[in-house]
Amino acid sequence: MKIHHQNQSQRMPFAVLFVLLLPILSPHLFSPLSRSYPSLFSEWNAPKPRHLPLLKAALDRHVPVGEKNELWSPLPYQGWKPCIEPTTIHTLPTKSQGYIQVFLDGGLNQQRMGICDAVAVAKILNATLVIPHLEVNAVWQDTSSFADIFDVEHFIDTLSHDVAIVKEPPSEYSWSSREYYGTGIRATRIKTAPVHGSAEWYLENVLPVLQSYGIAAIAPFSHRLAFDKLPTNIQRLRCKVNFHALVFVPHIRELGDTLINRLRHPFGKFHTYGTEFLKERMNDTESEGSGKFVVLHLRFDKDMAAHSSCDFGGGKAERLALAKYRQVLWQGRVLNSQFTDEALRKQGRCPLTPEEIGLLLAALGFSNSTRLYLASHKVYGGEKRISALKKLFPLMDDKKSLASAEELKKVDGKASLLAAVDYYVSLQSDIFISASPGNMHNALVGHRTYLNLKTIRPNMVMLGPLFLNKSMEWPEFQHAVLSGHKSRQGQIRLRKERQSIYTYPIPDCMCQS
């Protein structure tokens, strides 16, 4: 017994040493622990399908031809057309009140809305707008500037009769930089702009700064202009910026066009990539939706999963990993964490998993020959998490499967540019659907409404209880899904008070005809 105890004691240091050296000897095993990758638990213990009976039925589904045709048919004209020109002729003031700078944080779509608001504020103040400064994204560390993403010349030219815009402040204001405002309290920086501030607030608080110093910098600026009680010409100007002035730089549009062409004409694409890909796709059915494609914004990353406080089937290990991640990032400031998973799902507050969005698409009538483009960042849980979705829709692509490394070189590793490519492809898809609401979903719902394009909005409140019901069979599930989404495929919705003009551009920026 004593000898056994001694041997055990001798082995302990070696075991500890092995554990300490394991990350160095096999770093690939621990790469999932970094922020940009799925967690250790989700990658190693990927959950099995949570809705196996529905999944099996969906894999054997047959969609009648009539339903297929109706699903792919474009939206009929709904009696509204873009209406962005001001009701009266407005000319630029003979003298500008000064220069306005804004510093925008957040992701691409949040910054896009901030740019629109910045133009509107410049118009309200009769000021000259300096091309907005995009902050380095704290999560993805993307340093892309306005000029890296958007066509600056087009932006200035499109708005030339509305607002004076310059690329940089004049030399006498060269001191007014991001670095200058980051090193102390400055009289020309406005830090107190309220969320959804009124036009009057800017006239009362920012105009005096302009008149005193000739320049004013507003930071932070996200969501700093109200959606209500603004003149018609200001509202229409915001839509003009969003839907006409903000155009991506040529290389993003060119890459987007390449991806779209390969989605609509897949055989041409696979000829260029070799015979193996060609053999895999030669048996593709040329049926409904031929030459058409759906964009799915999956929006199932680690941040989304953690912030929702929902259970995604990874067991105790995944729940603990997400709870720890949530505590580190938000220090307990996640209101959802006080509710049970069942309560959250009944309220429609849980993002759909890849398996669930696949079941939704199948129930809506999309067959396994549907071409699906995945617009999203890395999926929480890796490839195993989307295995059920791939089984349902084997013709699923994304940027990396459609383009070569050389073609992606200019955008690879730059979150804003990758998001811009996805936005461009999404805007030109036959149908767009987002697994969960968010900035990209909201931006594209508004933009596609403006263009009268089909956009499916998942009924989260209805779907939550459906997925909680483990005894529901496929016919009942499909009937409920179809009934719950008849009026959620791009039909006109008028903007209500306090709702975003960028998500609901009617009636502010569209006219009945």
Side-chain angles (χ1 to χ4, degrees), residues 88-128:
T88 57
I89 300 299
H90 289 267
T91 58
L92 293 177
T94 53
K95 182 184 178 183
S96 169
Q97 295 286 349
Y99 294 88
I100 284 287
Q101 292 176 295
V102 296
F103 302 97
L104 302 172
D105 54 13
L108 173 69
N109 294 296
Q110 186 174 332
Q111 290 172 336
R112 184 187 188 102
M113 296 169 196
I115 293 165
C116 300
D117 285 350
V119 173
V121 167
K123 183 70 174 178
I124 290 167
L125 297 174
N126 280 335
T128 299

Side-chain angles (χ1 to χ4, degrees), residues 245-257:
L246 285 176
V247 170
F248 296 124
V249 291
H251 76 84
I252 289 177
R253 302 200 307 269
E254 288 165 10
L255 176 57
D257 286 335

Side-chain angles (χ1 to χ4, degrees), residues 170-382:
S171 56
E172 63 263 36
Y173 299 114
S174 60
W175 49 265
S176 185
S177 65
R178 187 66 188 87
E179 294 71 27
Y180 173 74
Y181 293 111
T183 56
I185 298 172
R186 310 296 184 185
T188 51
R189 179 184 175 184
I190 289 90
K191 296 178 67 175
T192 56
V195 173
H196 300 155
S198 66
E200 289 73 22
W201 188 92
Y202 285 93
L203 290 167
E204 291 171 6
N205 295 274
V206 181
L207 186 56
V209 177
L210 284 176
Q211 292 170 337
S212 297
Y213 298 95
I215 194 165
I218 310 174
F221 190 70
S222 294
H223 309 293
R224 287 316 196 265
L225 184 61
F227 292 123
D228 304 305
K229 298 178 182 177
L230 289 172
T232 300
N233 68 303
I234 297 297
Q235 297 289 63
R236 291 185 178 180
L237 178 59
R238 294 166 98 174
C239 287
K240 185 175 182 178
V241 180
N242 194 26
F243 304 135
H244 297 273
L246 285 176
V247 170
F248 296 124
V249 291
H251 76 84
I252 289 177
R253 302 200 307 269
E254 288 165 10
L255 176 57
D257 286 335
T258 297
L259 300 180
I260 292 163
N261 184 56
R262 289 171 184 169
L263 285 162
R264 295 202 185 283
H265 311 287
F267 297 114
K269 171 239 168 172
F270 291 112
H271 271 300
T272 65
Y273 277 78
T275 56
E276 290 305 312
F277 280 105
L278 184 60
K279 288 176 184 176
E280 288 178 17
R281 299 286 177 114
M282 282 299 287
N283 295 323
D284 288 358
T285 56
E286 291 295 322
S287 57
E288 92 293 343
S290 178
K292 299 180 180 181
F293 68 97
V294 179
V295 168
L296 168 61
H297 182 222
L298 200 50
R299 200 168 183 251
F300 196 78
D301 55 32
K302 189 173 182 179
D303 281 7
M304 181 73 176
H307 198 272
S308 71
S309 298
C310 300
D311 180 11
F312 299 107
K316 184 178 179 180
E318 182 178 82
R319 289 195 297 273
L320 289 172
L322 288 176
K324 183 177 180 180
Y325 185 78
R326 186 162 56 242
Q327 185 62 33
V328 170
L329 256 65
W330 298 292
Q331 291 80 44
R333 299 189 305 273
V334 178
L335 295 178
N336 284 353
S337 58
Q338 62 187 284
F339 296 99
T340 65
D341 178 73
E342 183 177 354
L344 290 171
R345 290 188 181 279
K346 285 181 178 178
Q347 296 168 29
R349 293 164 72 175
C350 291
L352 298 177
T353 65
E355 177 192 0
E356 289 168 346
I357 194 70
L359 290 171
L360 170 62
L361 289 170
L364 286 170
F366 292 102
S367 74
N368 62 2
S369 64
T370 299
R371 299 205 174 277
L372 202 63
Y373 176 85
L374 218 54
S376 61
H377 194 63
K378 283 185 177 292
V379 175
Y380 176 63

